Amino acid sequence: MKKGLIILGGVAVVVGGAYAYYYYNEQIGALKNLDFKVIGYKIITANLDKASVQLTIRLTNRSVFEVKVEDFFVDVYLDEKKISDLQPVAPFLIPSKDLNGKPSYSDANIIVEFSPRQLGLDAIGFISGYLNKKDMNIRVVGSAKLKSAFVTLPVPVEYNTTLKEILSPT
């Protein structure tokens, strides 16, 4: 009888360990499977010394697990020139996909501050570039610290777009 209990206990440990390993890998997969996109902007201030732009980002979750964004750090590049570090973003939650399998998302706002003079733009160039909607490449690169259940993982973030894409109505 003791031998049977030992075997049963050993099987339970192996099955439990296999399930924990599977669940852990599913959690990691969920954290790595988020989509990141810049969906809008709002100009807060714009002069030669300082420009502040609020970028609205959308993180889409296609997994069955809820994900918490604990930290979010990015650098913003305009035509391959680093223009700004991000101001801190408060932690936020991205719900799991719904019962019909439709992905869920959460939007967050990040404030980007930079000096147009650092980019070599004079007053006329800055204003006319914006008014004429001159196309510029925008690259957002950084990392997000994501948590799902008991798994926390730093995930790289990279998004490339153009000014015309952001300004065009969707």
Side-chain angles (χ1 to χ4, degrees):
M1 178 147 166
K2 283 186 181 182
K3 188 176 183 181
L5 288 175
I6 291 172
I7 291 172
L8 184 61
V11 169
V13 168
V14 169
V15 170
Y19 180 74
Y21 178 76
Y22 169 78
Y23 186 75
Y24 178 78
N25 280 332
E26 287 293 310
Q27 294 286 321
I28 289 177
L31 294 175
K32 290 183 176 179
N33 195 25
L34 292 179
D35 288 334
F36 171 83
K37 184 176 184 182
V38 177
I39 61 166
Y41 79 100
K42 176 181 169 185
I43 296 177
I44 299 170
T45 60
N47 59 50
L48 281 178
D49 296 318
K50 181 181 176 186
S52 295
V53 179
Q54 175 183 293
L55 294 178
T56 303
I57 59 164
R58 175 165 290 167
L59 285 140
T60 304
N61 184 2
R62 290 180 165 69
S63 78
V64 296
F65 302 108
E66 182 177 84
V67 175
K68 181 178 182 184
V69 179
E70 293 186 333
D71 289 317
F72 195 77
F73 304 100
V74 293
D75 294 326
V76 179
Y77 294 83
L78 186 62
D79 284 338
E80 295 306 316
K81 293 179 185 175
K82 183 177 175 182
I83 61 167
S84 178
D85 295 320
L86 156 78
Q87 291 185 0
V89 174
F92 60 97
L93 208 55
I94 309 168
S96 61
K97 66 181 177 180
D98 68 16
L99 295 175
N100 297 321
K102 182 180 176 189
S104 295
Y105 63 85
S106 287
D107 295 341
N109 294 318
I110 59 175
I111 305 295
V112 177
E113 294 180 341
F114 64 96
S115 168
R117 287 185 191 190
Q118 283 183 312
L119 299 174
L121 298 173
D122 59 10
I124 295 171
F126 180 63
I127 294 168
S128 67
Y130 174 72
L131 293 177
N132 294 327
K133 297 181 180 161
K134 176 187 168 210
D135 205 15
M136 297 178 173
N137 293 316
I138 299 169
R139 187 164 61 102
V140 180
V141 181
S143 69
K145 183 178 174 186
L146 307 176
K147 183 174 183 175
S148 179
F150 61 88
V151 178
T152 302
L153 186 69
V155 175
V157 171
E158 184 164 351
Y159 182 73
N160 295 296
T161 189
T162 63
L163 185 61
K164 282 186 181 178
E165 285 178 19
I166 293 175
L167 297 177
S168 68
T170 54

